[in-house]
Amino acid sequence: MASSKSIIEGLAKITTLGSVFYNPVQEFNRDLSLTVISTFAKKYIPWKKENKRKEEDIVTAIDEPREAGIKYDDGIYLLEALSATGLRSIRYAKEIPGIKEIVANDISIKAVEDIKRNVEENNVNHLVTPAQNDATLLMYAHKRDNQFDVIDLDPYGCPSIFLDSAIQAVKDGGLLLVTATDMAVLAGNSPETCYSKYGAISLKSKYCHEMSLRILLQCIESHANRYGRYIVPLLSLSADFYVRVFVKVFSGAHKCKFSTSKLSYVFNCTGCDSFELQPLGVLKKNEKNPKNVKFSIPTGPSVNKKCQHCNQSYHMGGPIWSAPLHDPAFVSDVLMSASDKLGTFKRIHGVLSVISEELVDQPLYYVLDKLAGTLHVSTPPVMTIRSAILNAGYKVSFTHMHKTSLKTDAPATVIWDIMRCWQKLNPVSEKRLHENSPAKNILDKQPEKEYDFTHHPDANPASRKMGFLRFQENPLPFWGPGTRSTAMVGDAKMVKSKKNQGKRKREEESPENTEDNLV
């Protein structure tokens, strides 16, 4: 008989039998998700009641207070497409106010048995409906009638196979939550695989986590555009071993024409890791009528054959989503509504604080350690470099994706000039400057001016001053994506790894593979 395990998280208590997948590290993911959905629902429910359809339609937040655990006929209709134990759906039912119904679906018979039992034990039968179905088929069945207000996709690995059905099954103005855990593919270890899964070439670079988010967003946008729909990102997050995005979905053929201006190719220098973006499309405004725009194709490429900074070659990646990753007003609302009773509240508060400080309109970022390492110079204090950028009249921020990140509107020429000035104060040994190396080619050029490293009053952001938990702590036991659930659709199926044990030996000993038969 399969052993059982009890799990308490938030207001939910569940038991699992056998090998149905559960990952405790994902508590942060679940805590943040239910906070985002709760914040979204406050404005979406009245927006839906008034039959709004366009992104521009504004309504005030819901007036009457709503309680969690109570069924509302005009509330949120939510699908958790890949539910496993049902923990997430049960927590949504018990902790998100204004729910109409939650469909907790899984293709595994054993998983659905767990879901049914856990729903019963948590007394949320009136809110959670277990379903045993292929997730894509279930969503296709809702693409015209009875669409969902919210769809949560949190698969093991790549989510792209679910996007076509999900983008059709969510209502106008509805919320789509998507997780991707195949970070090796998204972060540049296998560009050809990334293209086959996401329709974009990934690059191995220091800004790979942000590029992963932007590849995922462009993939969702490309699926949406096929059906005259488009996305508006509310929050995009890189955490632990995954990326997760929260986007609203709208319909509008004309708005889809703006998609090319939201996408770009990336040219990344193989020597110094500098980057340039080449948009797929540009918008030209009519001076007489600013509301009218002309859609144009840009000239290019935006870089020379060799990098102007270090004289090395470029790699080209993308396309990526180059429009904003977040809606600052929404992030602020989520930050204010996060409950201090959540198990990961401190981390949610810290990460969202950093996100609220990020520059919205500057794709990708530099990493201070990489800048210093390229020149073989001692790494300067991050406050010193931030001050130099601010003193030069540019903007700079951290990003939640890297501790020493520099997200800035300063061009790469300014960044390298600042590093040249730092090198003058901290000279590099000539022995380390090999002929035609990136370091020598960069340092052979003189900075256009002397940059001021005096401390700037805005160099230290509020989240850092307040000592918020901005970045993930040291990995916990079992940290990582874990292994795919071994609960199968039917009992007759064998686990693949067990089935293949000793396969090579059996083949070698087979009479068909004797020397006589191999002549």
Side-chain angles (χ1 to χ4, degrees):
M1 183 176 180
S3 60
S4 64
K5 180 170 67 172
S6 295
I7 298 162
I8 299 176
E9 185 180 293
L11 297 181
K13 181 179 180 180
I14 66 168
T15 57
T16 63
L17 296 177
S19 53
V20 174
F21 183 71
Y22 166 73
N23 192 341
V25 179
Q26 289 284 60
E27 182 179 359
F28 170 72
N29 183 320
R30 290 183 281 269
D31 283 353
L32 180 61
S33 297
L34 69 86
T35 306
V36 169
I37 296 171
S38 298
T39 306
F40 165 79
K42 290 177 183 177
K43 290 187 178 180
Y44 173 76
I45 291 174
W47 188 89
K48 182 177 72 166
K49 287 171 68 176
E50 295 181 22
N51 292 318
K52 303 292 186 180
R53 294 185 62 83
K54 294 183 180 179
E55 178 188 351
E56 298 82 4
D57 294 334
I58 305 296
V59 296
T60 57
I62 194 166
D63 292 326
E64 68 273 15
R66 299 201 169 199
E67 297 181 28
I70 296 177
K71 185 181 182 70
Y72 292 87
D73 291 335
D74 61 349
I76 296 294
Y77 184 35
L78 188 152
L79 168 67
E80 188 193 359
L82 307 152
S83 195
T85 62
L87 172 62
R88 186 185 297 259
S89 290
I90 293 168
R91 288 199 62 191
Y92 286 174
K94 302 188 80 167
E95 299 178 51
I96 297 177
I99 293 292
K100 175 185 176 182
E101 182 184 355
I102 298 171
V103 178
N105 177 72
D106 203 284
I107 197 171
S108 163
I109 296 173
K110 291 181 180 179
V112 175
E113 289 172 355
D114 268 4
I115 294 170
K116 290 178 179 178
R117 182 179 60 258
N118 289 323
V119 167
E120 288 275 354
E121 292 176 355
N122 283 270
N123 298 315
V124 289
N125 312 62
H126 60 300
L127 291 175
V128 181
T129 303
Q132 194 263 318
N133 207 334
D134 180 285
T136 55
L137 295 179
L138 177 62
M139 289 186 285
Y140 278 131
H142 288 74
K143 69 179 183 179
R144 286 192 178 89
D145 301 321
N146 203 24
Q147 290 178 312
F148 296 100
D149 300 306
V150 178
I151 295 179
D152 191 337
L153 293 175
D154 193 1
Y156 181 92
C158 176
S160 60
I161 59 173
F162 304 105
L163 294 179
D164 187 83
S165 54
I167 210 73
Q168 297 180 73
V170 67
K171 286 184 179 178
D172 274 349
L175 183 66
L176 182 59
L177 300 77
V178 183
T179 300
T181 64
D182 53 338
M183 292 303 295
V185 171
L186 285 167
N189 284 0
S190 184
E192 64 283 354
T193 304
C194 187
Y195 180 80
S196 67
K197 290 185 174 183
Y198 294 95
I201 296 293
S202 56
L203 296 173
K204 189 175 287 189
S205 61
K206 287 295 182 180
Y207 51 73
C208 62
H209 290 95
E210 182 172 333
M211 190 163 182
S212 298
L213 277 172
R214 294 184 178 278
I215 287 175
L216 176 57
L217 286 171
Q218 74 79 30
C219 184
I220 300 173
E221 176 80 345
S222 68
H223 281 86
N225 287 169
R226 296 168 194 170
Y227 304 100
R229 313 193 88 180
Y230 64 98
I231 64 171
V232 177
L234 297 179
L235 175 63
S236 305
L237 186 84
S238 173
D240 303 330
F241 49 83
Y242 62 90
V243 289
R244 184 151 170 89
V245 297
F246 305 81
V247 303
K248 288 198 290 188
V249 180
F250 293 95
S251 296
H254 178 70
K255 284 292 187 74
C256 291
K257 294 182 179 181
F258 289 82
S259 292
T260 56
S261 64
K262 302 174 186 176
L263 304 174
S264 298
Y265 287 106
V266 181
F267 291 92
N268 186 80
C269 176
T270 57
C272 65
D273 224 28
S274 299
F275 56 85
E276 293 284 343
L277 268 63
Q278 171 77 47
L280 270 66
V282 292
L283 305 177
K284 295 182 179 179
K285 291 187 177 180
N286 188 321
E287 295 181 1
K288 296 181 180 179
N289 188 356
K291 291 185 179 181
N292 292 337
V293 296
K294 182 180 180 181
F295 302 96
S296 303
I297 299 175
T299 57
S302 56
V303 296
N304 296 322
K305 191 172 183 180
K306 297 288 185 179
C307 174
Q308 62 173 314
H309 311 294
C310 71
N311 200 39
Q312 305 298 312
S313 301
Y314 283 100
H315 282 155
M316 188 178 79
I320 65 169
W321 176 270
S322 50
L325 292 174
H326 321 289
D327 179 341
F330 183 81
V331 173
S332 178
D333 289 343
V334 176
L335 188 55
M336 289 189 294
S337 63
S339 170
D340 58 5
K341 295 180 181 179
L342 295 171
T344 61
F345 169 74
K346 288 185 178 179
R347 187 180 177 195
I348 289 175
H349 189 259
V351 170
L352 291 182
S353 296
V354 177
I355 288 175
S356 68
E357 296 166 348
E358 289 182 10
L359 294 180
V360 177
D361 53 354
Q362 298 301 322
L364 308 182
Y365 55 87
Y366 300 95
V367 171
L368 187 54
D369 311 56
K370 176 63 177 179
L371 294 173
T374 298
L375 300 183
H376 308 301
V377 68
S378 61
T379 304
V382 68
M383 291 298 109
T384 300
I385 297 301
R386 285 172 62 92
S387 294
I389 294 172
L390 290 168
N391 290 331
Y394 296 99
K395 296 181 288 185
V396 66
S397 76
F398 284 109
T399 169
H400 71 282
M401 303 175 214
H402 203 288
K403 289 184 178 181
T404 62
S405 55
L406 296 169
K407 183 178 279 286
T408 178
D409 62 344
T413 51
V414 171
I415 298 299
W416 286 119
D417 271 357
I418 290 173
M419 293 304 296
R420 291 185 186 103
C421 291
W422 174 257
Q423 189 275 151
K424 286 185 177 182
L425 300 174
N426 303 268
V428 179
S429 170
E430 288 292 330
K431 295 180 180 179
R432 307 197 69 180
L433 302 179
H434 304 293
E435 192 63 30
N436 202 34
S437 66
K440 181 170 178 57
N441 291 340
I442 291 172
L443 294 176
D444 279 349
K445 300 174 184 177
Q446 292 300 312
E448 294 183 1
K449 68 173 187 178
E450 292 299 318
Y451 285 85
D452 180 10
F453 293 101
T454 305
H455 179 75
H456 191 281
D458 297 329
N460 196 12
S463 62
R464 189 173 181 271
K465 287 180 183 176
M466 299 297 289
F468 294 155
L469 181 59
R470 300 177 300 149
F471 302 101
Q472 168 66 21
E473 311 96 309
N474 290 331
L476 304 171
F478 311 112
W479 184 91
T483 56
R484 189 186 299 270
S485 170
T486 56
M488 296 297 183
V489 178
D491 292 335
K493 283 196 174 183
M494 296 175 62
V495 178
K496 186 176 180 181
S497 59
K498 185 176 180 180
K499 180 180 178 181
N500 289 335
Q501 283 181 359
K503 181 178 178 181
R504 182 178 298 175
K505 186 177 180 180
R506 291 198 303 271
E507 290 177 345
E508 291 174 352
E509 294 175 351
S510 171
E512 296 177 0
N513 293 331
T514 59
E515 289 186 8
D516 292 339
N517 290 334
L518 293 176
V519 174

